[in-house]
Amino acid sequence: MLQQYEKLKSALSSAKKIVFFTGAGISAESGIPTFRGKDGIWNKMKPDELANFNAFLRNPQIVWDWYQYRKKIVHQASPNHAHLTISEFQNYFDEVLVVTQNVDGFHSRAGSEIVYELHGNIEKNYCIDCGKRFDFENLEIEGKVPKCGCGGLIRPDIVWFGELLPEDAYSLSELAAETCDILFVIGTSALVFPAANIPYIAKKHGKFLVEVNIEKTELSSIVDLSLFGKAGEILPQILQRVKEEKSYGKN
Ligand code: OAD
């Protein structure tokens, strides 16, 4: 482990721009279930029936209820040490950007200022007919799927299977991967594309890649450094070393 930190230490000593690419694993310690693996959501539920536009058209109530249920879990939980530590990195580097596949909004709640949400946000909604937005609004009326003034159904602003990613968030994330000094990949299986392109783009541009995960992933063979363990434990250890090296600080 010590040797691994030495490699990272040297990368951190000259780094100005750091990108964190995160997935469901970073919120696992907040009590939000991940998608894959033994206890993963997609092990119990069918994505075709819940995370799919045609499923919403077929049975909007089931899909709406599912997202309200997940929203409730998010409301009952809070950002954990990993989210908070990432936000603290902002005090030590010129630029810290977060590219996340998560829809829980925890990075912003933890204080990260630049967050690109590639798969949407569970607090945001829009009308499927006119596109009117209903962000951060309580739309629940007797549990029914809400309707827009134009009569269209309102859906969660979550990227469902087969849908395009938000263009701005994705192109800004690509740029971040191309121009950063270090890209941390935290708590993602990195199996869902195009989001999972982000670490490969950084690799292609010769950036230093660090993976933090409880187990090996598809990326383990291409990263410069794999740190195995819980994000909420590993990230504070990294930040502690950054703090100890006063020369890394910008103040
Ligand atoms: P996955 O569920 O596929 O992967 C979660 C990853 O987190 C796994 O590699 C775990 O080993 C790791 N992990 C679990 N607990 C951890 C911890 N405490 N610390 C560090 N790592 C931990 O989730 P994603 O990769 O985010 O898309 O999945 C990508 C997309 O697939 C999601 O955004 C979602 C899903 O379908 C949409 O909903 C559009």
Side-chain angles (χ1 to χ4, degrees):
M1 196 69 135
L2 261 180
Q3 208 185 3
Q4 289 182 310
Y5 275 122
E6 283 307 312
K7 265 169 105 176
L8 179 57
K9 198 169 126 180
S10 131
L12 284 166
S13 67
S14 56
K16 290 196 164 33
K17 182 168 180 174
I18 310 239
V19 173
F20 290 91
F21 175 64
T22 68
I26 197 168
S27 296
E29 289 159 76
S30 297
I32 312 283
T34 60
F35 292 94
R36 293 169 187 81
K38 190 166 57 68
D39 299 319
I41 291 175
W42 298 148
N43 219 12
K44 299 175 194 137
M45 327 287 271
K46 293 192 178 125
D48 282 357
E49 288 169 14
L50 296 167
N52 178 296
F53 186 61
N54 285 329
F56 182 69
L57 292 180
R58 263 196 320 270
N59 200 332
Q61 192 68 52
I62 287 186
V63 176
W64 180 259
D65 288 349
W66 155 248
Y67 283 96
Q68 295 315 293
Y69 165 73
R70 281 183 57 196
K71 190 153 106 174
K72 211 165 136 194
I73 295 177
V74 168
H75 285 176
Q76 286 164 353
S78 305
N80 62 50
H81 284 308
H83 303 99
L84 294 166
T85 302
I86 288 177
S87 138
E88 226 190 301
F89 265 79
Q90 294 171 137
N91 299 330
Y92 297 91
F93 296 91
D94 290 350
E95 273 187 272
V96 176
L97 289 85
V98 178
V99 176
T100 190
Q101 300 162 90
N102 299 345
V103 299
D104 54 32
F106 281 0
H107 285 295
S108 302
R109 265 175 72 185
S112 285
E113 282 166 16
I114 305 178
V115 182
Y116 303 134
E117 293 177 318
L118 295 181
H119 289 165
N121 185 309
I122 203 145
E123 305 287 350
K124 297 184 178 176
N125 306 276
Y126 63 93
C127 169
I128 65 167
D129 287 345
C130 71
K132 184 175 175 198
R133 301 208 59 91
F134 298 87
D135 295 344
F136 302 97
E137 282 183 36
N138 182 9
L139 297 165
E140 282 287 88
I141 302 166
E142 293 167 2
K144 292 211 182 86
V145 188
K147 281 195 175 163
C148 176
C150 79
L153 291 169
I154 297 174
R155 62 164 278 181
D157 188 0
I158 304 273
V159 176
W160 286 332
F161 286 97
E163 294 184 326
L164 296 176
L165 301 195
E167 217 173 288
D168 284 359
Y170 187 70
S171 52
L172 288 166
S173 303
E174 275 184 314
L175 185 65
E178 286 165 13
T179 55
C180 67
D181 298 306
I182 304 178
L183 185 127
F184 285 92
V185 183
I186 318 282
T188 176
S189 57
L191 291 171
V192 177
F193 289 84
N197 281 327
I198 297 302
Y200 292 99
I201 292 169
K203 178 76 184 172
K204 198 174 125 201
H205 284 78
K207 308 305 177 186
F208 193 80
L209 252 70
V210 184
E211 168 183 58
V212 178
N213 202 299
I214 51 170
E215 59 187 30
K216 270 192 167 187
T217 71
E218 287 296 304
L219 290 177
S220 303
S221 58
I222 69 144
V223 297
D224 295 283
L225 184 61
S226 286
L227 298 170
F228 294 113
K230 290 184 175 175
E233 291 169 11
I234 302 263
L235 286 173
Q237 288 174 34
I238 297 171
L239 182 66
Q240 186 54 36
R241 276 164 176 79
V242 169
K243 285 180 178 172
E244 281 162 14
E245 284 290 326
K246 292 239 191 273
S247 57
Y248 298 164
K250 61 179 178 185
N251 299 324

